[in-house]
Amino acid sequence: MKKMYIAMVVSLMSAIAFSQGTITGTVLDGELNEPLPGASVVVEGTKTGASTDFDGNFTLEVSEDSGTLVFSYIGFVTKKVSFTSMGSIGEIVLQPDAEELEGVVVIGSGLIDLAEKRNTPVAVSTITKSVIQEKAVGNVEVPEIIKSTPSAFVSGQTGFGDSQLFLRGFDQINIATLLNGQPVNGMEDGRVYWSNWAGIADIANGVQVQRGLGSSRLAISSVGGTINLVMKSAEREKGGFVRMMGANDSYFKTTASYDSGINDKGWSFSVLLDHWQGHRKWAEGTFGSGQTYYFAAGYKPNDTHAFNVLLTGAPQQHGQRWSQSEEILEANPKFNQHWGFTEDGIESERTNYYHKPVFNFNWDYTISENSELATVAYASWGRGGGTGPRGFGRIRTADPDGDGPLFGQVDYAAIQAQNTAAGTGGSRDDVYIRRSSVNNHQWYGLVSNFNTQLNDRINFSFGTDLRFYTGDHFRQVADLYGLTGWTGDRPDGATVTETYNPTPWASLFNFADEGQRIDYDYSENINYQGIFSQIEYAADRFTVYAQGALSNQSYQRTGRFEGEGLGESEKLAKIGYNLKAGWSFDIAENHKIFSNVGYYSRQPFLDNIFVNIRESNDIFDNPEVDNEEITGIEVGYKYFSGGFKANFNFYITDWDNRVITGTDVDENGTPDDDSDDIFLNIFDRGVRQIHRGAELDLEYNIQGKLRVNGYLSAGSWQFDGTSDVAIYNDDTGQLVSENPGTNREGVKVTNAPQFTAGLSFRYQALEALSFDGNLNYFDRLWLNDGASVQVENVGYLDSYSLTDLGVTYNFALGENQLSLRGNVFNLFDEVRIQQSDRFGLFNTNGITYNVSLRYNF
């Protein structure tokens, strides 16, 4: 019996000894090839973990002889490594954030020009998926997370999706925006409407901001920089999440997403659905609502081919606020004169509504070990527009402050009674309707790129960029408010009786036919063909590259109103090109210098070619509108050691022969009577701007627990020389005045601050608890003096700072996770004027907050 007892004890101890053991290893920084102290090592699905020591080594006691280790470090890609025995697992290499963005590109990697794919550096900042999911969701938009990068400025307008982005003093018209490698900027005018991309935060794997020349090989001109929006494809990993969010001003958002993972036949599927709505975005009358849908299917039949098809869209509608005078903002910063109450609730005469389904098909073809071909065919169908008043019979409620600067709200009940009594009305009668300015388009394109590694040191690529675009522009009646018809807004004098609901879903198929359109009706056709190429030589310490692109773009307008540009215009074609080159040199261990230079000959936007795009087929021909000329030079220095990184950049951008268009109103000597106002179109041609500046950004990781980032940027952006100004009557197209040789020498560029600084941090307080925040400072934002064309400096706005804070707590629910996230933006409620224009002043949003609960499975 005693022998049996001893045998049982020995057997039990052997089993315990067999099931317990030690795993060791070393964690390295993949960029610096140095030990990574403070990295976290955890056995997946348990709380068993350890941290690496100063030399990157770790020792971990485990109770199973097989499993998976999870390695993580702030600012680096999380990595999973399986083990099947005890002992050393060797070196584990973690890649930094920049590589994280490259690593999540499952398909289309040959088209998305990430900075890391080229050895010669550019000035770049990367925002990873985790940061986007934490900060750019709900009532905060994607441009907001870009503000904490050097020389970036986001003007947070007070309507959902109305933010404006600036890089190095250039607005988003002159910042190339790419979605999975396909161009996003409008073909007609270069604009990016972030309201159309409200769902990008939910489906983005990352955003990369390349300031200045950037690394894009496409035949596009990045005057201020390039923004790469990396959208997820059908995910190869199985899982999903459900998230609910609440925020100030009755904002609510709910999202559900699921990825099937790749099956044994090579198929994978992903779906995401989302709905949001808000009573207002801080300012009065800026309600909003919308949805996001995303469907993707991937197929990888073998190691040679990979396919992905997706359909996504973000239909939305939101009330807007136009610029306000400083006097009004001082009386009530949230004031908005464009809204009122109807039986259905809040209605805004200024409502933006749009629905832009986007479809693309990706094909990645691995030709050989050294060569690949990546192709995307895409299409988008934009439907929607913006509403506004028509007629001079607007009625308002009583002024809220008596004789003060504020207006009353739009009194829709009184307008209804007035219009019902009138019966029918025209544009100059004492009646009031709401019209929609419709902007429908069809856009088809293809981008293809062949890349080959010629030898160990030389990489070569060649590709093509094709685009076919048609934009339809007209006005239709959104609401007659009791009128039986609307007259006087058509050249044939016909009465319009149909109305069209200004909502994003209705706008897909329900818009006015030619017989029910008012004010103007025309189309624009733009065809674009481009080729591009790059070659790079990379030795051990030295790299050099050259890029070139050539494009042809044709323009044609088709008018449909008799006497207002009827029929097709002359077809005009323009050739454009760009050339870029650069080099880098590792001057010593952890020290690198680089330089890039580029020249662009950019075709003018279609809106700058026609004398009066809404009313005429006439093209400027005396003189003809020539290409814009952009020259960019930048030099940089990079230092990295341990957990510290520093980047310094100096740049000069010379932008010549620019065309600036604008509008104005001649009150005809009667400022209180809108009925005789004359609306004007302004063409400022031959404009030259020179932007100079320096940027410094720093990053410091402390033992894997704290990451601190800082930046500083200073610029001198101003006009140079003279330009030719012509002002036209918007209704007749007649030349009102001409001012050749208008002197703009030394006039500062407005709309963006020429000095910015910031500090941000992320602190992992506990394994499940983290804190983050940022402070941004803005100064030297020059004022617009209110003139049609500014010819002198009038000072700048007061400097201001914004503070944001966030906290995340993760709960373990078995193998799944529940995350609680809270954000406070503009913590100290700094309500400051942050931008000026010729008609008034914009102010910052006040304090904004949101709280979300996300269940990952």
Side-chain angles (χ1 to χ4, degrees):
M1 187 70 177
K2 183 176 181 181
K3 291 181 179 179
M4 183 179 294
Y5 174 75
I6 293 173
M8 290 175 63
V9 171
V10 171
S11 177
L12 180 61
M13 293 181 66
S14 298
I16 294 173
F18 181 77
S19 64
Q20 290 183 337
T22 302
I23 295 179
T24 62
T26 304
V27 180
L28 299 178
D29 181 327
E31 183 177 60
L32 307 178
N33 198 31
E34 294 182 352
L36 201 57
S40 172
V41 186
V42 179
V43 179
E44 188 175 38
T46 74
K47 294 185 178 180
T48 301
S51 296
T52 57
D53 61 19
F54 185 77
D55 296 317
N57 300 318
F58 71 91
T59 300
L60 186 62
E61 301 292 334
V62 296
S63 58
E64 302 290 341
D65 59 356
S66 65
T68 302
L69 299 179
V70 181
F71 297 85
S72 60
Y73 189 90
I74 293 177
F76 285 73
V77 185
T78 297
K79 190 171 187 177
K80 295 182 180 181
V81 177
S82 299
F83 66 91
T84 56
S85 61
M86 306 304 169
S88 175
I89 62 171
E91 295 180 345
I92 305 299
V93 179
L94 298 187
Q95 299 295 343
D97 274 348
E99 294 296 332
E100 180 177 354
L101 185 51
E102 185 177 17
V104 300
V105 180
V106 178
I107 197 166
S109 60
L111 297 169
I112 304 174
D113 287 315
L114 301 179
E116 298 75 37
K117 291 168 59 181
R118 196 179 74 191
N119 291 294
T120 308
V122 296
V124 63
S125 300
T126 300
I127 299 99
T128 59
K129 180 179 180 179
S130 59
V131 175
I132 297 170
Q133 288 294 307
E134 288 178 346
K135 295 186 176 183
V137 291
N139 54 346
V140 176
E141 298 142 14
V142 168
E144 287 289 332
I145 62 171
I146 297 174
K147 69 183 180 184
S148 292
T149 59
S151 296
F153 176 64
V154 177
S155 175
Q157 308 303 311
T158 49
F160 288 101
D162 288 339
S163 294
Q164 296 184 42
L165 174 65
F166 299 83
L167 283 179
R168 292 182 173 176
F170 300 104
D171 62 15
Q172 54 204 31
I173 293 175
N174 301 291
I175 302 169
T177 304
L178 303 173
L179 178 64
N180 275 14
Q182 68 186 59
V184 168
N185 299 76
M187 292 285 289
E188 301 169 10
D189 55 14
R191 297 183 185 276
V192 177
Y193 297 94
W194 292 105
S195 56
N196 298 340
W197 305 100
I200 197 67
D202 296 309
I203 58 177
N205 273 332
V207 176
Q208 189 172 86
V209 183
Q210 300 174 11
R211 302 182 299 278
L213 295 170
S215 65
S216 176
R217 288 164 288 184
L218 291 182
I220 56 176
S221 54
S222 308
V223 182
T226 302
I227 297 177
N228 275 305
L229 304 170
V230 181
M231 184 169 55
K232 78 172 190 173
S233 54
E235 297 297 296
R236 308 282 172 83
E237 298 289 333
K238 184 177 182 179
F241 71 88
V242 176
R243 180 183 60 215
M244 292 183 292
M245 170 182 287
N248 53 294
D249 294 317
S250 303
Y251 183 91
F252 180 77
K253 176 184 175 76
T254 180
T255 311
S257 176
Y258 179 71
D259 305 306
S260 69
I262 190 166
N263 62 25
D264 55 2
K265 295 183 178 181
W267 286 94
S268 56
F269 301 91
S270 294
V271 60
L272 180 142
L273 297 172
D274 171 271
H275 175 80
W276 64 271
Q277 60 186 51
H279 176 67
R280 67 183 184 186
K281 193 179 184 218
W282 194 71
E284 298 169 348
T286 53
F287 64 88
S289 64
Q291 297 80 37
T292 298
Y293 56 86
Y294 168 87
F295 306 97
Y299 179 52
K300 187 174 175 60
N302 48 49
D303 292 335
T304 302
H305 299 281
F307 305 92
N308 190 85
V309 61
L310 69 83
L311 174 68
T312 186
Q316 60 78 36
Q317 58 186 339
H318 66 277
Q320 297 179 299
R321 181 176 79 163
W322 279 24
S323 57
Q324 310 292 325
S325 69
E326 187 171 8
E327 186 182 16
I328 286 177
L329 293 179
E330 290 175 351
N332 178 8
K334 296 185 178 183
F335 176 74
N336 178 11
Q337 74 269 37
H338 294 300
W339 67 285
F341 291 102
T342 68
E343 294 179 354
D344 298 324
I346 293 176
E347 182 164 293
S348 173
E349 63 180 4
R350 297 287 183 178
T351 297
N352 175 275
Y353 65 101
Y354 217 76
H355 191 171
K356 185 176 183 176
V358 176
F359 172 87
N360 69 32
F361 173 78
N362 280 89
W363 172 37
D364 284 355
Y365 175 30
T366 304
I367 301 171
S368 67
E369 183 179 350
N370 295 322
S371 301
E372 64 177 5
L373 176 69
T375 302
V376 59
Y378 62 90
S380 68
W381 304 272
R383 297 291 185 268
T387 68
R390 197 75 178 156
F392 298 96
R394 181 197 288 112
I395 302 173
R396 295 188 180 278
T397 60
D399 289 351
D401 60 349
D403 296 328
L406 305 182
F407 303 92
Q409 296 171 352
V410 179
D411 192 338
Y412 288 107
I415 290 172
Q416 186 86 16
Q418 165 193 268
N419 286 3
T420 300
T424 60
S427 60
R428 297 293 175 180
D429 294 340
D430 291 330
V431 291
Y432 172 94
I433 66 170
R434 186 162 62 141
R435 50 82 182 160
S436 291
S437 297
V438 178
N439 179 8
N440 293 345
H441 77 247
Q442 298 76 237
W443 185 347
Y444 305 95
L446 184 141
V447 180
S448 186
N449 181 61
F450 170 76
N451 186 80
T452 184
Q453 192 71 36
L454 297 177
N455 55 42
D456 291 342
R457 295 190 173 184
I458 300 177
N459 182 273
F460 173 76
S461 65
F462 177 84
T464 185
D465 174 12
L466 305 176
R467 310 176 212 169
F468 306 92
Y469 176 92
T470 298
D472 299 320
H473 301 269
F474 54 89
R475 279 182 171 172
Q476 62 190 22
V477 178
D479 202 322
L480 286 168
Y481 297 119
L483 286 179
T484 58
W486 180 255
T487 61
D489 245 353
R490 289 181 55 84
D492 58 7
T495 299
V496 173
T497 58
E498 298 294 328
T499 61
Y500 301 88
N501 193 12
T503 62
W505 286 99
S507 66
L508 268 184
F509 306 106
N510 186 27
F511 47 85
D513 59 28
E514 292 184 19
Q516 291 292 316
R517 297 176 182 179
I518 63 172
D519 196 19
Y520 57 82
D521 184 11
Y522 65 95
S523 296
E524 299 166 339
N525 296 284
I526 304 173
N527 292 330
Y528 181 99
Q529 309 88 38
I531 55 174
F532 53 88
S533 184
Q534 174 183 290
I535 188 167
E536 182 175 36
Y537 173 85
D540 293 336
R541 297 177 59 189
F542 178 75
T543 71
V544 61
Y545 84 94
Q547 285 183 15
L550 178 69
S551 61
N552 174 65
Q553 182 166 268
S554 65
Y555 318 80
Q556 191 168 37
R557 180 188 185 277
T558 302
R560 286 180 288 272
F561 269 3
E562 185 75 38
E564 296 183 357
L566 182 65
E568 290 188 343
S569 72
E570 170 192 353
K571 189 173 184 179
L572 181 68
K574 293 277 189 178
I575 299 294
Y577 63 92
N578 64 56
L579 298 170
K580 292 193 288 186
W583 59 268
S584 70
F585 181 63
D586 295 340
I587 55 178
E589 185 178 6
N590 303 336
H591 298 266
K592 177 180 287 190
I593 59 173
F594 67 91
S595 177
N596 297 299
V597 61
Y599 176 81
Y600 298 92
S601 177
R602 183 175 82 170
Q603 299 101 325
F605 293 122
L606 180 144
D607 287 359
N608 297 340
I609 287 177
F610 289 88
V611 174
N612 186 337
I613 188 62
R614 293 201 313 180
E615 305 290 348
S616 172
N617 283 348
D618 293 337
I619 295 174
F620 280 114
D621 59 4
N622 188 27
E624 182 178 313
V625 178
D626 293 325
N627 285 6
E628 298 176 0
E629 300 171 356
I630 302 105
T631 303
I633 301 172
E634 60 186 20
V635 295
Y637 164 74
K638 291 179 175 288
Y639 172 78
F640 39 89
S641 178
F644 180 74
K645 301 177 185 178
N647 300 288
F648 175 80
N649 304 288
F650 174 77
Y651 65 89
I652 300 175
T653 303
D654 187 332
W655 186 7
D656 201 1
N657 204 34
R658 182 188 179 190
V659 177
I660 300 178
T661 60
T663 60
D664 203 351
V665 178
D666 181 355
E667 295 179 335
N668 210 21
T670 56
D672 296 328
D673 182 8
D674 296 338
S675 64
D676 60 352
D677 287 354
I678 299 173
F679 295 91
L680 306 172
N681 290 323
I682 304 165
F683 288 85
D684 190 6
R685 304 168 63 186
V687 179
R688 185 182 185 187
Q689 292 177 217
I690 299 178
H691 292 224
R692 301 180 180 89
E695 303 160 340
L696 174 67
D697 61 281
L698 310 168
E699 178 182 327
Y700 189 36
N701 281 295
I702 305 173
Q703 295 293 308
K705 294 293 184 182
L706 177 65
R707 181 173 65 183
V708 180
N709 295 79
Y711 73 89
L712 187 72
S713 62
S716 175
W717 314 326
Q718 61 188 33
F719 294 97
D720 184 73
T722 63
S723 62
D724 298 330
V725 179
I727 301 177
Y728 295 83
N729 185 307
D730 181 61
D731 290 329
T732 65
Q734 297 299 311
L735 181 67
V736 176
S737 65
E738 193 169 14
N739 300 290
T742 300
N743 186 9
R744 305 186 73 173
E745 183 79 30
V747 176
K748 300 293 185 180
V749 174
T750 61
N751 292 329
Q754 303 200 15
F755 180 87
T756 63
L759 186 68
S760 61
F761 77 94
R762 184 180 182 88
Y763 176 58
Q764 196 74 36
L766 301 171
E767 182 180 344
L769 178 65
S770 65
F771 298 92
D772 57 86
N774 53 267
L775 171 67
N776 300 99
Y777 175 78
F778 308 100
D779 193 17
R780 298 185 69 79
L781 200 165
W782 291 84
L783 278 165
N784 193 306
D785 65 0
S788 301
V789 176
Q790 187 162 343
V791 294
E792 62 179 349
N793 297 315
V794 291
Y796 45 85
L797 294 171
D798 292 339
S799 60
Y800 67 95
S801 61
L802 300 175
T803 303
D804 306 330
L805 289 178
V807 59
T808 301
Y809 190 84
N810 297 318
F811 304 85
L813 297 177
E815 296 183 355
N816 301 323
Q817 187 183 73
L818 188 68
S819 296
L820 179 64
R821 172 70 184 182
N823 291 297
V824 181
F825 301 93
N826 193 1
L827 177 66
F828 300 109
D829 200 16
E830 289 282 337
V831 182
R832 296 291 188 91
I833 296 172
Q834 69 170 25
Q835 195 180 37
S836 66
D837 68 4
R838 294 196 297 95
F839 302 108
L841 300 154
F842 292 98
N843 67 296
T844 65
N845 292 334
I847 187 171
T848 302
Y849 56 85
N850 58 48
V851 178
S852 63
L853 189 63
R854 173 172 170 150
Y855 176 63
N856 298 295
F857 58 89

